[in-house]
Amino acid sequence: MNASATMKTKIHSLPLLRRMTFASFLIATILLSWNNWAGIEFVSAAAAPEKAEGVIQLTAKNFDKSLSDGNAWLIEFYAPWCSHCTRFAPAYEAVAKQLHSEKNNKHNVKVAKIDGAAERALSSRFSVKGFPTFFLVNGWTVREYAGNRSQENLVKFATETYEEVEAMPFLFGPFGPMGQLRSFLMRSGAWVVGLYENLTETRGLKPLIAMAVLCFGGIVVGLIMIVVLGVFMMSKMKQD
């Protein structure tokens, strides 16, 4: 292949790359909207965490709304059965009281915790592999704390040394496409399990029939998504 042919190939491939990039952002936006809608569940404004000196409890219902307040957030993922989490709870309360009462020149920090065992979609979104795990979230920038657990170290990390820690790549982070996809899959799995239990226990359907209904519904939804994306891509190709 000569140089001119190679150049033509690159030129003609640009619209396709733009379409693929735009489609990726579109899918990420759809997943983010789904996660926000599924997490909020049309609850009232009372679901947002109240101002407090202690640790703020975050759930899927108030997570995105809370973190959009412009502050940095120090977040602990814990589990009720985790002995390390239980022993560190008083120290983490002290961290919250200290950070909530201090004014930082770089950013104000709110201290929160998430029950990672119950909020599995959020745990999957952050790729939590054990408890307790701590993250500092500032906008879409997320850093994981990997030091020794102590009040002094966590306060220092949240206010000073966080800049020495490399931020998670946006693509694979909790606010990027891959993080949203993990959360979407976890929510979808939980929704399917709940629907299956409703069909078998409440509706009285046999397990095989309930599975057939779910499979048929999944095929229909998949076909609709393929048609929508196909129409969108074809329209973009005609414009190009």
Side-chain angles (χ1 to χ4, degrees), residues 169-183:
F170 174 77
L171 178 63
F172 298 98
F175 302 102
M178 297 305 296
Q180 297 294 339
L181 178 60
R182 290 192 298 268
S183 178

Side-chain angles (χ1 to χ4, degrees), residues 63 122 125-126 137 142 168-170 172-176 179-180 182:
F63 178 81
L122 288 176
R125 193 167 160 181
F126 278 80
V137 181
V142 181
M168 298 174 62
F170 174 77
F172 298 98
F175 302 102
Q180 297 294 339
R182 290 192 298 268

Side-chain angles (χ1 to χ4, degrees), residues 2-229:
N2 56 34
S4 61
T6 303
M7 183 62 69
K8 289 181 180 179
T9 302
K10 291 182 178 179
I11 292 174
H12 287 297
S13 66
L14 286 177
L16 179 60
L17 291 175
R18 287 200 299 268
R19 288 194 295 271
M20 291 176 65
T21 303
F22 186 82
S24 298
F25 279 105
L26 179 64
I27 293 172
T29 302
I30 293 173
L31 293 177
L32 178 59
S33 301
W34 166 260
N35 285 332
N36 289 342
W37 176 83
I40 293 173
E41 296 178 350
F42 301 108
V43 295
S44 63
E50 300 178 355
K51 294 182 179 179
E53 293 183 356
V55 179
I56 300 170
Q57 185 76 45
L58 293 179
T59 66
K61 295 179 180 180
N62 62 18
F63 178 81
D64 289 292
K65 182 177 180 180
S66 300
L67 267 67
S68 63
D69 64 353
N71 293 299
W73 286 75
L74 178 64
I75 301 174
E76 176 197 18
F77 281 85
Y78 73 97
W81 43 260
C82 171
S83 58
H84 299 290
C85 304
T86 304
R87 286 195 297 267
F88 190 69
Y92 196 58
E93 284 288 344
V95 170
K97 291 180 180 179
Q98 181 176 346
L99 289 177
H100 289 167
S101 62
E102 291 180 350
K103 291 293 183 180
N104 189 276
N105 293 329
K106 296 180 180 179
H107 54 220
N108 293 326
V109 182
K110 289 188 176 181
V111 181
K113 62 181 179 180
I114 296 173
D115 184 346
E119 302 291 344
R120 295 186 178 181
L122 288 176
S123 295
S124 179
R125 193 167 160 181
F126 278 80
S127 298
V128 175
K129 298 178 176 61
F131 303 111
T133 303
F134 301 89
F135 296 94
L136 183 68
V137 181
N138 192 357
W140 283 3
T141 303
V142 181
R143 293 178 170 88
E144 182 177 355
Y145 178 71
N148 295 325
R149 291 189 298 270
S150 70
Q151 177 182 347
E152 181 181 358
N153 288 342
L154 274 175
V155 170
K156 197 170 184 180
F157 166 72
T159 57
E160 299 177 21
T161 61
Y162 67 90
E163 294 180 334
E164 302 172 4
V165 178
E166 184 178 359
M168 298 174 62
F170 174 77
L171 178 63
F172 298 98
F175 302 102
M178 297 305 296
Q180 297 294 339
L181 178 60
R182 290 192 298 268
S183 178
F184 170 77
L185 292 175
M186 185 63 68
R187 288 184 189 278
S188 300
W191 183 79
V192 170
V193 171
L195 183 57
Y196 173 80
E197 292 177 350
N198 178 268
L199 290 174
T200 55
E201 297 176 5
T202 305
R203 304 291 180 179
L205 295 181
K206 294 182 178 180
L208 288 178
I209 297 177
M211 291 176 64
V213 171
L214 292 176
C215 290
F216 178 76
I219 292 173
V220 171
V221 172
L223 289 175
I224 292 175
M225 292 182 66
I226 291 173
V227 171
V228 171
L229 288 175

